[in-house]
Amino acid sequence: MSATIHRDRLIPGLIADSDRDEPTPDVIEGIRARFPTETEYDRMLTRKMARRAGAGYRSFDLRLLTGNSFVSLLLTFGAFAASFVARPLGAVIFAPLGDKYGRRTVLSVVIILMTLATAGIGLLPTYYQIGVAAPILLMTLRLVQGISAGGEYGGATSLIAEFAPPSRRGFFVGFISLTVGGAMLFGSGTAMVLTRTLSAESMAAWGWRLPLLLSLPLGLIGLYIRFRLEETPAFTALSREGRVQKSPLLTTLRRDYRSVLIGIGIAATNSCMMALYFIYMPSALKEFTDFSAADAQLITFVGLVAYCVAVLPFARMSDRVGRIPQLLVSSATLIVLIYPSLVMLSSGVLALAVAAMVVVTPVVAANIAAVTPLLTEMFGTDTRYTGLSLGWQMSTTLFAGPTPIILAALAGLGGSTVPAFYAMAVVALTVIAGIFAARTLARSRAH
Protein backbone atom coordinates (compact mmCIF):
# COMPACT_ATOMS: atom_id res chain seq x y z
CA MET A 1 0.00 0.00 0.00
CA SER A 2 1.36 3.38 -0.90
CA ALA A 3 0.02 6.82 -1.43
CA THR A 4 1.16 9.86 -3.29
CA ILE A 5 1.44 12.93 -1.15
CA HIS A 6 1.98 16.24 -2.90
CA ARG A 7 4.68 18.59 -1.75
CA ASP A 8 2.19 21.08 -0.34
CA ARG A 9 1.21 18.47 2.23
CA LEU A 10 4.65 18.32 3.79
CA ILE A 11 6.25 20.66 6.26
CA PRO A 12 6.57 23.58 5.74
CA GLY A 13 3.96 23.75 2.99
CA LEU A 14 0.99 23.63 5.36
CA ILE A 15 1.11 27.39 5.79
CA ALA A 16 1.48 30.27 3.41
CA ASP A 17 4.43 31.79 5.24
CA SER A 18 6.78 28.89 5.74
CA ASP A 19 9.44 30.96 7.47
CA ARG A 20 7.17 31.99 10.29
CA ASP A 21 8.26 30.47 13.60
CA GLU A 22 5.84 32.20 15.98
CA PRO A 23 2.17 31.30 16.34
CA THR A 24 -0.32 33.82 15.06
CA PRO A 25 -2.91 35.07 17.56
CA ASP A 26 -5.46 32.94 15.73
CA VAL A 27 -3.78 29.66 16.66
CA ILE A 28 -4.15 30.61 20.32
CA GLU A 29 -7.79 31.54 19.77
CA GLY A 30 -8.33 28.27 17.93
CA ILE A 31 -6.99 26.32 20.88
CA ARG A 32 -9.22 28.25 23.27
CA ALA A 33 -12.22 27.58 21.07
CA ARG A 34 -11.50 23.87 21.16
CA PHE A 35 -11.77 23.38 24.92
CA PRO A 36 -15.53 23.96 25.35
CA THR A 37 -16.45 21.59 22.53
CA GLU A 38 -14.73 18.28 23.31
CA THR A 39 -17.66 16.68 25.13
CA GLU A 40 -18.14 13.15 23.76
CA TYR A 41 -16.20 11.28 26.44
CA ASP A 42 -17.34 13.75 29.08
CA ARG A 43 -20.96 12.86 28.26
CA MET A 44 -20.26 9.14 28.48
CA LEU A 45 -18.60 9.44 31.88
CA THR A 46 -21.36 11.72 33.14
CA ARG A 47 -24.02 9.28 31.98
CA LYS A 48 -22.34 6.38 33.77
CA MET A 49 -21.91 8.53 36.87
CA ALA A 50 -25.60 9.37 36.90
CA ARG A 51 -26.58 5.70 36.63
CA ARG A 52 -24.25 4.74 39.48
CA ALA A 53 -25.48 7.52 41.72
CA GLY A 54 -29.07 6.39 41.89
CA ALA A 55 -30.70 6.30 38.48
CA GLY A 56 -30.78 9.96 37.63
CA TYR A 57 -30.96 8.29 34.25
CA ARG A 58 -33.40 5.77 35.71
CA SER A 59 -35.65 6.01 32.67
CA PHE A 60 -32.74 4.69 30.56
CA ASP A 61 -31.08 2.36 33.11
CA LEU A 62 -30.65 -1.01 31.39
CA ARG A 63 -30.36 -2.84 34.68
CA LEU A 64 -34.10 -2.35 35.13
CA LEU A 65 -34.58 -4.40 31.95
CA THR A 66 -31.94 -7.10 32.43
CA GLY A 67 -31.61 -7.58 36.17
CA ASN A 68 -27.97 -8.52 35.53
CA SER A 69 -25.08 -6.11 35.98
CA PHE A 70 -22.83 -7.81 33.39
CA VAL A 71 -25.52 -7.88 30.71
CA SER A 72 -26.33 -4.28 31.57
CA LEU A 73 -22.66 -3.44 31.12
CA LEU A 74 -22.62 -5.05 27.67
CA LEU A 75 -25.77 -3.21 26.61
CA THR A 76 -24.45 0.11 27.92
CA PHE A 77 -21.23 -0.33 25.93
CA GLY A 78 -23.34 -1.36 22.95
CA ALA A 79 -25.22 1.94 23.14
CA PHE A 80 -21.86 3.70 23.38
CA ALA A 81 -20.70 1.94 20.20
CA ALA A 82 -23.91 2.88 18.39
CA SER A 83 -23.28 6.55 19.07
CA PHE A 84 -20.05 6.33 17.06
CA VAL A 85 -21.79 5.09 13.91
CA ALA A 86 -22.95 8.63 13.16
CA ARG A 87 -19.44 10.07 13.26
CA PRO A 88 -18.37 9.11 9.72
CA LEU A 89 -21.69 10.54 8.52
CA GLY A 90 -20.78 13.83 10.17
CA ALA A 91 -17.39 13.71 8.47
CA VAL A 92 -19.03 13.14 5.09
CA ILE A 93 -21.50 15.99 5.62
CA PHE A 94 -19.37 18.71 7.18
CA ALA A 95 -15.74 18.05 6.23
CA PRO A 96 -16.15 18.62 2.47
CA LEU A 97 -17.94 21.88 3.26
CA GLY A 98 -14.94 22.90 5.36
CA ASP A 99 -12.61 22.22 2.43
CA LYS A 100 -14.88 24.14 0.07
CA TYR A 101 -16.04 27.13 2.12
CA GLY A 102 -13.49 27.35 4.91
CA ARG A 103 -12.83 25.89 8.33
CA ARG A 104 -14.19 28.75 10.42
CA THR A 105 -17.78 28.77 9.12
CA VAL A 106 -18.30 25.02 9.28
CA LEU A 107 -16.82 24.75 12.77
CA SER A 108 -19.23 27.42 13.99
CA VAL A 109 -22.21 25.44 12.69
CA VAL A 110 -20.90 22.25 14.25
CA ILE A 111 -20.49 23.76 17.70
CA ILE A 112 -24.08 25.04 17.62
CA LEU A 113 -25.39 21.55 16.86
CA MET A 114 -23.18 19.95 19.50
CA THR A 115 -24.20 22.44 22.17
CA LEU A 116 -27.94 22.23 21.50
CA ALA A 117 -27.92 18.43 21.38
CA THR A 118 -25.97 18.06 24.62
CA ALA A 119 -28.05 20.61 26.50
CA GLY A 120 -31.17 18.97 25.06
CA ILE A 121 -30.26 15.69 26.73
CA GLY A 122 -29.97 17.53 30.01
CA LEU A 123 -33.53 18.83 29.55
CA LEU A 124 -35.12 15.53 28.53
CA PRO A 125 -38.21 14.39 30.45
CA THR A 126 -38.01 10.90 31.93
CA TYR A 127 -39.67 7.73 30.70
CA TYR A 128 -42.21 8.04 33.50
CA GLN A 129 -43.21 11.47 32.21
CA ILE A 130 -43.45 10.94 28.44
CA GLY A 131 -43.09 7.18 28.00
CA VAL A 132 -41.26 5.66 25.05
CA ALA A 133 -40.69 9.11 23.55
CA ALA A 134 -37.92 9.65 26.14
CA PRO A 135 -35.46 7.01 24.85
CA ILE A 136 -36.38 7.91 21.24
CA LEU A 137 -35.51 11.55 21.89
CA LEU A 138 -32.34 10.48 23.68
CA MET A 139 -31.13 8.41 20.73
CA THR A 140 -32.04 11.22 18.31
CA LEU A 141 -29.98 13.73 20.26
CA ARG A 142 -27.14 11.24 20.54
CA LEU A 143 -27.26 10.89 16.76
CA VAL A 144 -26.97 14.67 16.39
CA GLN A 145 -24.05 14.64 18.81
CA GLY A 146 -22.29 11.96 16.80
CA ILE A 147 -22.82 13.77 13.50
CA SER A 148 -21.55 17.06 14.89
CA ALA A 149 -18.56 15.37 16.55
CA GLY A 150 -17.74 13.74 13.21
CA GLY A 151 -17.52 17.15 11.58
CA GLU A 152 -15.68 18.93 14.38
CA TYR A 153 -12.43 17.11 15.10
CA GLY A 154 -10.88 17.25 11.64
CA GLY A 155 -11.80 20.91 11.21
CA ALA A 156 -10.40 22.01 14.56
CA THR A 157 -7.20 20.05 13.95
CA SER A 158 -6.79 21.46 10.43
CA LEU A 159 -7.39 24.99 11.66
CA ILE A 160 -4.74 24.85 14.38
CA ALA A 161 -2.24 23.02 12.14
CA GLU A 162 -2.60 25.62 9.41
CA PHE A 163 -2.10 28.52 11.79
CA ALA A 164 0.82 26.97 13.68
CA PRO A 165 4.48 27.56 12.73
CA PRO A 166 6.09 24.48 11.13
CA SER A 167 8.75 24.00 13.78
CA ARG A 168 6.12 23.95 16.56
CA ARG A 169 3.16 22.45 14.76
CA GLY A 170 3.20 19.24 16.78
CA PHE A 171 3.13 21.22 20.02
CA PHE A 172 0.15 23.35 19.08
CA VAL A 173 -1.78 20.48 17.53
CA GLY A 174 -1.11 18.67 20.82
CA PHE A 175 -3.67 20.93 22.44
CA ILE A 176 -6.31 19.03 20.45
CA SER A 177 -5.31 15.83 22.25
CA LEU A 178 -5.19 17.69 25.54
CA THR A 179 -8.84 18.73 25.13
CA VAL A 180 -9.88 15.08 24.78
CA GLY A 181 -8.16 14.19 28.04
CA GLY A 182 -9.34 17.42 29.63
CA ALA A 183 -12.97 16.67 28.76
CA MET A 184 -12.68 13.17 30.18
CA LEU A 185 -10.95 14.57 33.26
CA PHE A 186 -13.80 17.04 33.65
CA GLY A 187 -16.32 14.22 33.37
CA SER A 188 -14.48 12.02 35.85
CA GLY A 189 -13.95 14.90 38.26
CA THR A 190 -17.59 15.92 38.01
CA ALA A 191 -18.63 12.34 38.73
CA MET A 192 -16.44 12.25 41.82
CA VAL A 193 -17.73 15.58 43.14
CA LEU A 194 -21.44 15.06 42.48
CA THR A 195 -21.62 11.49 43.76
CA ARG A 196 -19.94 12.61 46.99
CA THR A 197 -21.89 15.82 47.57
CA LEU A 198 -25.43 14.99 46.44
CA SER A 199 -27.78 12.41 47.87
CA ALA A 200 -29.12 9.63 45.67
CA GLU A 201 -32.49 11.39 45.66
CA SER A 202 -30.96 14.67 44.47
CA MET A 203 -28.97 12.90 41.80
CA ALA A 204 -32.10 11.16 40.56
CA ALA A 205 -34.12 14.37 40.57
CA TRP A 206 -31.73 16.86 38.98
CA GLY A 207 -28.05 16.26 39.73
CA TRP A 208 -27.33 14.15 36.65
CA ARG A 209 -28.51 16.99 34.41
CA LEU A 210 -25.97 19.56 35.64
CA PRO A 211 -22.91 18.54 33.57
CA LEU A 212 -25.03 18.31 30.43
CA LEU A 213 -26.59 21.74 30.93
CA LEU A 214 -23.14 23.18 31.57
CA SER A 215 -22.41 22.55 27.89
CA LEU A 216 -24.70 25.47 26.98
CA PRO A 217 -22.55 28.31 28.39
CA LEU A 218 -19.36 26.50 27.40
CA GLY A 219 -20.63 26.10 23.85
CA LEU A 220 -21.53 29.79 23.66
CA ILE A 221 -18.01 30.69 24.77
CA GLY A 222 -16.53 28.43 22.10
CA LEU A 223 -18.85 29.89 19.46
CA TYR A 224 -17.87 33.45 20.42
CA ILE A 225 -14.18 32.61 20.12
CA ARG A 226 -14.62 30.92 16.76
CA PHE A 227 -16.49 33.89 15.35
CA ARG A 228 -13.43 35.99 16.20
CA LEU A 229 -11.12 33.75 14.18
CA GLU A 230 -9.88 34.62 10.74
CA GLU A 231 -9.74 31.94 8.05
CA THR A 232 -6.43 30.06 7.96
CA PRO A 233 -3.61 31.41 5.73
CA ALA A 234 -3.39 28.11 3.85
CA PHE A 235 -7.07 28.03 2.91
CA THR A 236 -7.13 31.75 2.13
CA ALA A 237 -4.25 31.30 -0.31
CA LEU A 238 -5.93 28.24 -1.83
CA SER A 239 -9.15 30.18 -2.36
CA ARG A 240 -7.37 33.24 -3.77
CA GLU A 241 -5.55 31.07 -6.30
CA GLY A 242 -8.77 29.33 -7.35
CA ARG A 243 -7.54 25.87 -6.31
CA VAL A 244 -10.47 24.95 -4.06
CA GLN A 245 -11.87 21.57 -5.06
CA LYS A 246 -15.41 21.54 -6.47
CA SER A 247 -16.03 18.20 -4.75
CA PRO A 248 -13.50 17.62 -1.94
CA LEU A 249 -15.14 14.33 -0.97
CA LEU A 250 -14.85 12.83 -4.45
CA THR A 251 -11.28 14.13 -4.79
CA THR A 252 -10.34 12.56 -1.46
CA LEU A 253 -11.90 9.21 -2.35
CA ARG A 254 -10.33 9.19 -5.80
CA ARG A 255 -6.89 10.69 -5.13
CA ASP A 256 -6.25 10.28 -1.41
CA TYR A 257 -7.99 7.03 -0.50
CA ARG A 258 -4.71 5.31 0.37
CA SER A 259 -3.83 8.11 2.77
CA VAL A 260 -7.26 7.74 4.37
CA LEU A 261 -6.67 4.00 4.85
CA ILE A 262 -3.25 4.65 6.36
CA GLY A 263 -4.80 7.28 8.60
CA ILE A 264 -7.36 4.77 9.90
CA GLY A 265 -4.54 2.44 10.93
CA ILE A 266 -2.39 5.21 12.41
CA ALA A 267 -5.25 6.43 14.62
CA ALA A 268 -6.35 2.92 15.66
CA THR A 269 -4.12 2.73 18.74
CA ASN A 270 -5.29 6.02 20.17
CA SER A 271 -8.94 5.09 19.61
CA CYS A 272 -8.51 1.69 21.26
CA MET A 273 -6.34 2.86 24.18
CA MET A 274 -8.64 5.73 25.14
CA ALA A 275 -11.59 3.33 25.09
CA LEU A 276 -9.66 0.68 27.05
CA TYR A 277 -8.27 2.77 29.88
CA PHE A 278 -10.83 5.54 30.22
CA ILE A 279 -14.19 4.15 29.06
CA TYR A 280 -14.06 0.40 29.64
CA MET A 281 -11.77 0.35 32.66
CA PRO A 282 -13.90 2.26 35.23
CA SER A 283 -16.77 -0.22 34.81
CA ALA A 284 -14.48 -3.24 34.46
CA LEU A 285 -12.72 -2.45 37.72
CA LYS A 286 -16.03 -2.80 39.53
CA GLU A 287 -17.40 -5.72 37.51
CA PHE A 288 -14.34 -7.96 37.41
CA THR A 289 -12.30 -6.92 40.48
CA ASP A 290 -12.91 -6.04 44.13
CA PHE A 291 -12.56 -2.28 43.64
CA SER A 292 -15.36 -0.07 44.87
CA ALA A 293 -16.95 2.57 42.66
CA ALA A 294 -14.95 5.24 44.50
CA ASP A 295 -11.67 3.40 43.94
CA ALA A 296 -12.47 2.87 40.26
CA GLN A 297 -13.15 6.59 39.86
CA LEU A 298 -9.88 7.44 41.62
CA ILE A 299 -7.82 5.07 39.44
CA THR A 300 -9.33 6.52 36.27
CA PHE A 301 -8.88 10.07 37.48
CA VAL A 302 -5.19 9.53 38.22
CA GLY A 303 -4.70 8.01 34.78
CA LEU A 304 -6.35 10.99 33.14
CA VAL A 305 -4.16 13.40 35.06
CA ALA A 306 -1.04 11.50 33.99
CA TYR A 307 -2.24 11.55 30.36
CA CYS A 308 -2.96 15.28 30.38
CA VAL A 309 0.37 16.13 32.02
CA ALA A 310 2.27 14.12 29.40
CA VAL A 311 0.51 15.27 26.22
CA LEU A 312 2.18 18.62 25.57
CA PRO A 313 5.78 17.53 26.38
CA PHE A 314 5.40 14.61 23.98
CA ALA A 315 3.73 16.89 21.42
CA ARG A 316 6.79 19.12 21.55
CA MET A 317 9.02 16.06 21.29
CA SER A 318 7.30 15.10 18.02
CA ASP A 319 8.58 18.38 16.55
CA ARG A 320 12.13 17.36 17.44
CA VAL A 321 12.37 13.61 16.85
CA GLY A 322 9.72 13.31 14.12
CA ARG A 323 6.19 11.93 14.07
CA ILE A 324 6.97 8.49 12.66
CA PRO A 325 9.78 7.54 15.11
CA GLN A 326 7.66 8.65 18.07
CA LEU A 327 4.62 6.81 16.71
CA LEU A 328 6.53 3.54 16.23
CA VAL A 329 8.41 3.66 19.54
CA SER A 330 5.28 4.53 21.56
CA SER A 331 3.29 1.79 19.81
CA ALA A 332 5.97 -0.82 20.46
CA THR A 333 6.13 0.28 24.11
CA LEU A 334 2.37 -0.11 24.45
CA ILE A 335 2.53 -3.65 23.09
CA VAL A 336 4.96 -4.45 25.92
CA LEU A 337 2.96 -2.63 28.63
CA ILE A 338 -0.68 -3.51 27.91
CA TYR A 339 -0.72 -7.02 29.39
CA PRO A 340 1.17 -6.23 32.61
CA SER A 341 -0.93 -3.11 33.09
CA LEU A 342 -4.12 -5.17 32.97
CA VAL A 343 -2.61 -7.67 35.40
CA MET A 344 -1.90 -4.83 37.82
CA LEU A 345 -5.30 -3.25 37.28
CA SER A 346 -6.98 -6.62 37.92
CA SER A 347 -5.02 -7.28 41.11
CA GLY A 348 -7.49 -5.59 43.43
CA VAL A 349 -4.59 -3.66 45.00
CA LEU A 350 -5.19 0.08 44.71
CA ALA A 351 -1.50 1.06 44.69
CA LEU A 352 -0.71 -1.37 41.86
CA ALA A 353 -3.70 -0.21 39.81
CA VAL A 354 -2.75 3.45 40.20
CA ALA A 355 0.87 2.65 39.31
CA ALA A 356 -0.28 0.87 36.15
CA MET A 357 -2.24 3.90 35.00
CA VAL A 358 0.60 6.30 35.83
CA VAL A 359 3.00 4.24 33.71
CA VAL A 360 0.85 3.39 30.69
CA THR A 361 -1.24 6.51 30.09
CA PRO A 362 1.73 8.81 29.35
CA VAL A 363 2.75 6.34 26.62
CA VAL A 364 -0.77 6.67 25.20
CA ALA A 365 -0.22 10.43 25.26
CA ALA A 366 3.07 10.04 23.39
CA ASN A 367 1.29 8.03 20.72
CA ILE A 368 -1.54 10.48 20.08
CA ALA A 369 0.87 13.42 20.24
CA ALA A 370 2.55 11.97 17.14
CA VAL A 371 -0.62 10.81 15.37
CA THR A 372 -2.59 14.05 15.16
CA PRO A 373 0.03 16.27 13.47
CA LEU A 374 1.04 13.36 11.22
CA LEU A 375 -2.52 13.10 9.93
CA THR A 376 -2.61 16.80 9.07
CA GLU A 377 0.58 16.36 7.03
CA MET A 378 -0.76 13.47 4.97
CA PHE A 379 -3.29 15.60 3.07
CA GLY A 380 -3.06 18.77 1.02
CA THR A 381 -4.90 21.95 1.99
CA ASP A 382 -7.59 21.23 -0.61
CA THR A 383 -8.65 17.96 1.07
CA ARG A 384 -7.13 18.15 4.56
CA TYR A 385 -10.39 18.63 6.45
CA THR A 386 -12.09 15.81 4.52
CA GLY A 387 -9.23 13.32 4.49
CA LEU A 388 -8.31 13.83 8.13
CA SER A 389 -11.95 13.61 9.22
CA LEU A 390 -12.65 10.43 7.26
CA GLY A 391 -9.52 8.69 8.54
CA TRP A 392 -9.99 9.76 12.14
CA GLN A 393 -13.74 9.17 12.42
CA MET A 394 -13.67 5.81 10.66
CA SER A 395 -10.91 4.79 13.06
CA THR A 396 -12.91 5.85 16.12
CA THR A 397 -15.97 4.06 14.77
CA LEU A 398 -13.99 0.84 14.25
CA PHE A 399 -11.61 0.93 17.21
CA ALA A 400 -13.15 3.18 19.89
CA GLY A 401 -16.90 2.63 19.64
CA PRO A 402 -17.00 -1.19 19.74
CA THR A 403 -13.89 -1.67 21.89
CA PRO A 404 -15.57 -1.49 25.34
CA ILE A 405 -18.18 -4.12 24.48
CA ILE A 406 -15.55 -6.35 22.82
CA LEU A 407 -13.29 -6.08 25.87
CA ALA A 408 -16.16 -6.72 28.28
CA ALA A 409 -17.22 -9.81 26.33
CA LEU A 410 -13.65 -11.13 26.25
CA ALA A 411 -13.23 -10.51 29.98
CA GLY A 412 -16.52 -12.25 30.71
CA LEU A 413 -15.47 -15.28 28.69
CA GLY A 414 -11.80 -15.62 29.60
CA GLY A 415 -10.90 -13.36 32.50
CA SER A 416 -9.95 -9.75 33.12
CA THR A 417 -6.57 -9.90 31.34
CA VAL A 418 -7.78 -11.51 28.08
CA PRO A 419 -8.74 -8.11 26.57
CA ALA A 420 -5.02 -7.31 26.46
CA PHE A 421 -4.55 -9.49 23.40
CA TYR A 422 -7.20 -7.65 21.41
CA ALA A 423 -5.66 -4.31 22.36
CA MET A 424 -2.17 -5.51 21.41
CA ALA A 425 -3.45 -6.61 17.98
CA VAL A 426 -4.89 -3.14 17.37
CA VAL A 427 -1.59 -1.51 18.31
CA ALA A 428 0.21 -3.85 15.90
CA LEU A 429 -2.04 -2.51 13.15
CA THR A 430 -0.82 1.00 13.94
CA VAL A 431 2.80 -0.16 13.66
CA ILE A 432 2.09 -1.54 10.18
CA ALA A 433 0.28 1.67 9.17
CA GLY A 434 3.16 3.73 10.54
CA ILE A 435 5.64 1.84 8.36
CA PHE A 436 3.49 2.53 5.28
CA ALA A 437 3.24 6.19 6.30
CA ALA A 438 7.03 6.43 6.61
CA ARG A 439 7.46 4.98 3.11
CA THR A 440 4.85 7.37 1.75
CA LEU A 441 6.50 10.45 3.25
CA ALA A 442 9.95 9.33 2.10
CA ARG A 443 8.68 8.78 -1.45
CA SER A 444 7.02 12.21 -1.48
CA ARG A 445 10.20 13.95 -0.34
CA ALA A 446 12.18 12.10 -2.99
CA HIS A 447 9.90 13.53 -5.67
Side-chain angles (χ1 to χ4, degrees):
M1 179 187 299
S2 64
T4 299
I5 297 183
H6 298 296
R7 285 186 176 275
D8 73 337
R9 305 179 198 190
L10 302 175
I11 297 175
L14 272 168
I15 60 173
D17 181 7
S18 60
D19 294 328
R20 174 168 50 82
D21 196 45
E22 292 299 324
T24 67
D26 290 295
V27 72
I28 307 300
E29 293 298 315
I31 291 168
R32 290 174 180 168
R34 173 68 181 160
F35 275 94
T37 64
E38 183 54 60
T39 55
E40 179 67 39
Y41 292 104
D42 166 41
R43 289 192 300 273
M44 179 61 184
L45 287 169
T46 301
R47 182 170 179 238
K48 290 195 298 182
M49 168 272 295
R51 290 176 58 235
R52 277 200 302 267
Y57 250 72
R58 188 178 299 276
S59 53
F60 314 115
D61 194 341
L62 296 169
R63 284 173 295 181
L64 297 178
L65 300 177
T66 66
N68 182 289
S69 62
F70 177 66
V71 176
S72 173
L73 179 66
L74 291 178
L75 292 176
T76 298
F77 285 151
F80 176 70
S83 70
F84 276 79
V85 174
R87 285 176 168 239
L89 178 60
V92 169
I93 294 172
F94 289 110
L97 296 176
D99 278 327
K100 191 170 184 178
Y101 300 109
R103 288 72 163 110
R104 173 181 174 271
T105 301
V106 174
L107 285 172
S108 298
V109 173
V110 166
I111 192 176
I112 292 173
L113 287 177
M114 177 73 77
T115 300
L116 292 178
T118 305
I121 293 176
L123 295 172
L124 277 181
T126 67
Y127 179 86
Y128 302 111
Q129 292 172 322
I130 62 173
V132 72
I136 291 175
L137 287 172
L138 173 64
M139 293 308 297
T140 300
L141 291 172
R142 288 288 291 159
L143 179 66
V144 174
Q145 285 180 327
I147 290 173
S148 56
E152 199 270 345
Y153 191 93
T157 305
S158 297
L159 184 143
I160 292 178
E162 291 173 0
F163 273 126
S167 63
R168 300 173 66 192
R169 183 172 294 117
F171 174 73
F172 285 107
V173 171
F175 281 91
I176 296 288
S177 305
L178 180 60
T179 62
V180 176
M184 297 176 72
L185 189 61
F186 172 80
S188 180
T190 302
M192 292 175 63
V193 171
L194 290 183
T195 55
R196 285 164 173 75
T197 58
L198 296 179
S199 65
E201 292 76 17
S202 295
M203 282 296 302
W206 52 268
W208 66 271
R209 300 179 184 270
L210 292 180
L212 297 166
L213 294 175
L214 185 59
S215 67
L216 189 59
L218 290 177
L220 292 175
I221 293 171
L223 185 62
Y224 169 74
I225 294 173
R226 283 183 178 174
F227 272 132
R228 294 178 57 191
L229 291 174
E230 299 291 336
E231 191 51 75
T232 69
F235 184 83
T236 299
L238 191 79
S239 180
R240 183 173 58 248
E241 296 166 6
R243 295 191 293 115
V244 175
Q245 294 290 334
K246 292 182 179 179
S247 179
L249 179 60
L250 291 179
T251 300
T252 301
L253 295 177
R254 183 180 65 252
R255 188 190 71 191
D256 301 330
Y257 70 93
R258 290 186 180 89
S259 294
V260 172
L261 292 175
I262 292 173
I264 293 171
I266 287 173
T269 289
N270 172 71
S271 299
C272 181
M273 294 300 100
M274 299 297 279
L276 166 60
Y277 289 108
F278 300 132
I279 302 300
Y280 163 78
M281 193 54 64
S283 296
L285 288 173
K286 294 180 300 166
E287 184 69 29
F288 302 114
T289 71
D290 296 327
F291 287 117
S292 65
D295 286 342
Q297 289 177 346
L298 176 62
I299 293 166
T300 305
F301 187 82
V302 171
L304 286 167
V305 171
Y307 170 90
C308 291
V309 169
V311 165
L312 291 183
F314 280 117
R316 186 65 180 119
M317 181 181 292
S318 77
D319 287 323
R320 295 170 177 168
V321 304
R323 326 294 187 209
I324 298 294
Q326 184 165 316
L327 172 70
L328 295 178
V329 171
S330 61
S331 298
T333 304
L334 283 171
I335 291 176
V336 173
L337 291 179
I338 289 172
Y339 185 84
S341 73
L342 292 194
V343 171
M344 295 170 70
L345 286 163
S346 303
S347 66
V349 179
L350 182 61
L352 287 178
V354 169
M357 292 293 267
V358 169
V359 171
V360 77
T361 55
V363 185
V364 176
N367 187 272
I368 183 57
V371 168
T372 312
L374 176 59
L375 287 176
T376 67
E377 295 161 4
M378 292 183 65
F379 300 93
T381 304
D382 59 342
T383 60
R384 180 169 296 118
Y385 197 154
T386 303
L388 195 161
S389 296
L390 289 177
W392 182 269
Q393 300 304 343
M394 290 175 70
S395 185
T396 61
T397 299
L398 292 172
F399 300 108
T403 287
I405 190 171
I406 291 173
L407 299 181
L410 290 173
L413 292 172
S416 58
T417 58
V418 173
F421 298 102
Y422 170 81
M424 292 162 66
V426 173
V427 178
L429 175 62
T430 291
V431 173
I432 296 171
I435 293 172
F436 279 114
R439 292 178 179 177
T440 297
L441 293 175
R443 187 177 296 109
S444 299
R445 292 188 176 102
H447 288 85

